[in-house]
Amino acid sequence: MKISKAPAAAAVAVALALTATACGGSSDKSSGTGSTGGGKDKIVVGIKFDQPGLGLKTPDGKYTGFDVDVATYVAKELGYEPGQIEFKQAISAERENLIANGDVKFVVATYSINDKRKEKVDFAGPYFLAHQDLLVRADDTSITKAEDLNKKKLCSVTGSTSAQNVKTKLAPEADLLELGGYSDCLTGLENKKVDALTTDNSILAGYAAQENNKGKFKLVGLSLSNENYGIGLKKGDKELQTKINAALKKMVADGAWEAAVQKNLGPANYKSEPAPQITEGS
């Protein structure tokens, strides 16, 4: 009598499947990606969730902003379609931890490149050059330079280095008001409780470009500091750094970079700098 080998073969297949699952074969947390069957399944990218025009999660669960467009373009160049991107909130204080722990593949979140941060993470880019600026009411002609803030009320968020920069170096007689969030400062600016709001011009433009703020505010157009935004990634990952740099160069060359700037920040009459030269990894 001939005995069928099918049950034994099935048992071996099940055992192999269980072994693969137990070994964590369905995901790769260390690289910020997940995969099934050896193919690319998703990529996890860190962005801000609360910065209009740059990185914003809307009430309906969608993501908008210049950083989101940059992240989406870069991810596509790495082989991921928009539906394969998982956006993870990357608040400023947690960006390095998210990268080091492998919770994200990379971070695109108004992440200024500086030496202190480069001790913990590597950067690709920069992909954007921002400057500290002032936001005032659209009809205000009394503030055209930082020194005009003397005797006036200046608003920023609690602990802001931007506000302290103005207060200590440029307008020591400014009346500094620090609130919990930029939206609070905007309300105060609209209601004439304060005369100006300061932080990176890209962030200011994002808030001013919101539908309910259009026409109410304007950027003064100052360059009180230089902030080169880079894409943060795990230290030592030169292959990824090279690929992201190549994607950024392509985004500029094919016009997608300029289109993203105008779409997200243009409504605030924002005059962006040209795309900066890539210096990281070179």
Side-chain angles (χ1 to χ4, degrees):
M1 178 179 176
K2 187 175 181 181
I3 300 175
S4 172
K5 297 182 180 179
V12 171
V14 171
L16 288 173
L18 290 173
T19 300
T21 302
C23 291
S26 62
S27 65
D28 180 8
K29 182 180 178 182
S30 65
S31 63
T33 62
S35 62
T36 56
K40 292 181 178 178
D41 181 30
K42 70 174 183 178
I43 185 169
V44 185
V45 180
I47 61 169
K48 292 289 181 68
F49 278 13
D50 60 352
Q51 287 184 341
L54 292 161
L56 181 70
K57 183 177 182 180
T58 61
D60 59 358
K62 295 180 180 179
Y63 302 93
T64 65
F66 177 71
D67 280 354
V68 174
D69 288 347
V70 170
T72 301
Y73 190 101
V74 170
K76 185 172 183 179
E77 290 301 302
L78 294 177
Y80 298 89
E81 294 301 319
Q84 295 174 290
I85 303 171
E86 177 185 326
F87 288 115
K88 189 175 185 68
Q89 186 173 24
I91 62 174
S92 296
E94 289 297 319
R95 289 177 296 204
E96 285 87 8
N97 289 335
L98 289 172
I99 294 169
N101 294 337
D103 295 319
V104 297
K105 189 73 171 178
F106 57 84
V107 168
V108 191
T110 57
Y111 203 179
S112 296
I113 301 170
N114 62 43
D115 290 340
K116 184 177 180 180
R117 288 170 177 164
K118 287 169 71 171
E119 293 176 0
K120 299 180 179 179
V121 301
D122 279 340
F123 287 95
Y127 66 92
F128 194 83
L129 174 58
H131 302 288
Q132 183 186 344
D133 200 355
L134 303 173
L135 190 72
V136 298
R137 288 181 291 277
D139 60 355
D140 189 343
T141 58
S142 68
I143 300 174
T144 59
K145 56 186 183 298
E147 291 78 3
D148 292 335
L149 291 170
N150 283 314
K151 308 295 186 181
K152 292 184 179 290
K153 293 182 178 180
L154 173 66
C155 190
S156 195
V157 297
T158 302
S160 166
T161 55
S162 298
Q164 293 299 330
N165 183 43
V166 172
K167 178 72 175 175
T168 59
K169 299 178 182 178
L170 303 171
E173 295 182 52
D175 183 6
L176 178 59
L177 175 65
E178 294 181 288
L179 299 178
Y182 292 118
S183 58
D184 298 325
C185 285
L186 275 175
T187 300
L189 187 58
E190 182 177 5
N191 296 336
K192 300 186 177 182
K193 301 294 184 182
V194 298
D195 300 299
L197 162 60
T198 188
T199 188
D200 294 355
N201 53 5
S202 55
I203 297 173
L204 295 175
Y207 278 101
Q210 284 185 291
E211 191 65 36
N212 59 336
N213 290 331
K214 287 182 181 178
K216 295 180 181 179
F217 310 107
K218 66 180 180 182
L219 290 163
V220 175
L222 305 180
S223 297
L224 304 178
S225 71
N226 294 328
E227 305 294 338
N228 281 292
Y229 294 165
I231 295 180
L233 58 140
K234 184 166 286 190
K235 199 163 183 65
D237 195 341
K238 298 301 181 184
E239 181 181 359
L240 179 60
Q241 184 184 53
T242 299
K243 288 180 178 180
I244 293 178
N245 280 337
L248 293 174
K249 290 177 182 177
K250 183 178 178 181
M251 187 177 186
V252 172
D254 68 14
W257 184 91
E258 180 63 26
V261 170
Q262 294 306 318
K263 181 184 76 172
N264 294 292
L265 303 174
N269 198 31
Y270 178 71
K271 307 297 183 186
S272 71
E273 296 275 3
Q277 291 295 314
I278 291 175
T279 57
E280 299 303 305
S282 60

